Amino acid sequence: MQLLQSPRGTRDILPEQQPVWQFCLDTARKVAEQMGYLPISTPTYEEIALFERSIGEGTDVIDKELFLVRGRKSEEESYALRPEGTAGLVRSYLEHGMRTWPQPVKLYTILNCFRYERPQKGRYREHFQFDFEYFGEKGAFADAWVIYTGWRFYQALGLKNIGLSLNTLGAATERAAYSQKLVAYFTPLKQQLSQDSQDRLAKNPLRILDSKDPIDQEKKQGAPILLESIGEESKRHFQEVQNYLKTWKIPFEINPHLIRGLDYYSHTTFEWVARGREGSQDSLGGGGRYDGLLTILGGQDGGAVGTGIGLDRTVEEIISQGLAENFHLLAPQIVVLSGDHGIHSQAQEVIEELYQQGFWLDTYLGKESLASQMKSAGRSGARFALIIGADEATANQIAVKDLRSGKQELVPRSDLIRHLRVQFAHA
Ligand code: HAM
């Protein structure tokens, strides 16, 4: 029978790939908690309406990429797998009355997200994000804080050549007015646009600006500039964000065409990119301000800004910058062997004591012969093998073999832990 494979666009992260992933996840948790974010987890699936209302109908994520789920027998109930983290966190913030907590409330989560995309390198149907959100403040400092958090994360990973593209969409009303200007500009050019951009003209005209299709590039050049269409208040907010970033020495470029694929943003939007790997999959993370989403989802008016960092692409970047070589699976320190079934109970006691004392251990007692156990011990990377034979057990001794030098010595059972500690202290 043919072996089954993981579904298209999903991957197994195998043991040898885990250390670099764990490093990335541990770093994310550490940076977030060091910077005042509280951990939270939300469900993998939510009401479809949550995503439709927040991310917006007319976006690719909703119209083309949503994974729908329902129980086998409950035809009326249907849900969607989360395509991102923000909507769920906002829902949770509102549902649990976090507006009444002392503000700001900063939350972070590490989550898997599902988008029915055409898979390719760096683009998966299940991907992972480090998502952090800052609720309860409308001022520019909050925008700068989430950008600073992302910057601290990339720095803590040791990544080089990380760039930041920055833009503002202005207030929601300014964004809507600008959208009308774009429609007026692009409508006479409609036939000359790519098919995707023609569709966007009706559904989501701003997205024409971040089209990567070569057909659209020339037409985009003459389009009205958003930054020139926004009011003084919005300009001041954007300038303040930049001032904070300059003080923290976070390099950035203003990209007036940075629109982003989700509808909930107003004011600041940004994307983290791997410089030198420019292309459609170069976005390592992105985010922005989305105050309006709180009221759209039934809450009171308030501030909200956040970031989603793509961990699959971040891990790929760590590897391509040659930083993954330091990460390996940890070998056991000690392996416990015994070829004699009659004294397995003594071996079990030794294992229990080693474990209690905090040693990293493994054992091959499940294998029949001592010879095959020794073979596994040799491959394990462990420093010492403890060999428990019938004669040694009678004499209350254990043979300790240094697997590097091959030297073996008999150690009294009562002295075993002290002996091992001395050996490791000198290793
Ligand atoms: P997003 O730009 O859609 O934003 O996704 C954030 C990051 O997730 C991307 O920059 C990318 O690195 C990664 N990503 C997205 N789709 C895929 C995929 N199919 N395969 C691999 N990686 C992918 C959001 O999701 C917003 N919720 C960010 C946010 C948080 N805005 C405010 N708060």
Side-chain angles (χ1 to χ4, degrees), residues 299-338:
Q300 284 174 1
D301 182 32
V305 52
T307 306
I309 289 184
L311 292 176
D312 309 74
R313 294 181 194 173
T314 302
V315 165
E316 280 154 24
E317 193 57 25
I318 294 174
I319 295 169
S320 82
Q321 293 197 16
L323 302 171
E325 275 130 43
N326 307 331
F327 301 107
H328 305 286
L329 290 169
L330 286 182
Q333 296 175 299
I334 297 167
V335 288
V336 179
L337 316 178
S338 176

Side-chain angles (χ1 to χ4, degrees), residues 61 83-87 115 117 122-129 131-133 260 262 264-265 271-272 283-288 290 305-313:
V61 173
E84 51 102 62
T86 311
R115 298 182 189 183
E117 304 211 61
R123 189 194 283 170
Y124 307 103
R125 289 186 174 169
E126 180 187 31
H127 73 276
F128 292 82
Q129 284 190 20
D131 184 277
F132 41 96
E133 311 290 344
R260 309 217 358 92
L262 316 167
Y264 44 59
Y265 297 111
E271 238 163 53
W272 292 103
S283 163
L284 293 179
Y290 55 90
V305 52
T307 306
I309 289 184
L311 292 176
D312 309 74
R313 294 181 194 173

Side-chain angles (χ1 to χ4, degrees), residues 33-68:
E33 292 185 22
Q34 202 182 345
M35 298 184 69
Y37 294 83
L38 304 171
I40 186 168
S41 312
T42 60
T44 308
Y45 60 90
E46 300 265 5
E47 303 276 347
I48 299 172
L50 173 68
F51 302 121
E52 285 175 347
R53 280 192 225 157
S54 51
I55 296 165
E57 289 176 90
T59 59
D60 286 353
V61 173
I62 294 302
D63 288 2
K64 302 185 189 160
E65 298 167 3
L66 216 51
F67 270 94
L68 302 183

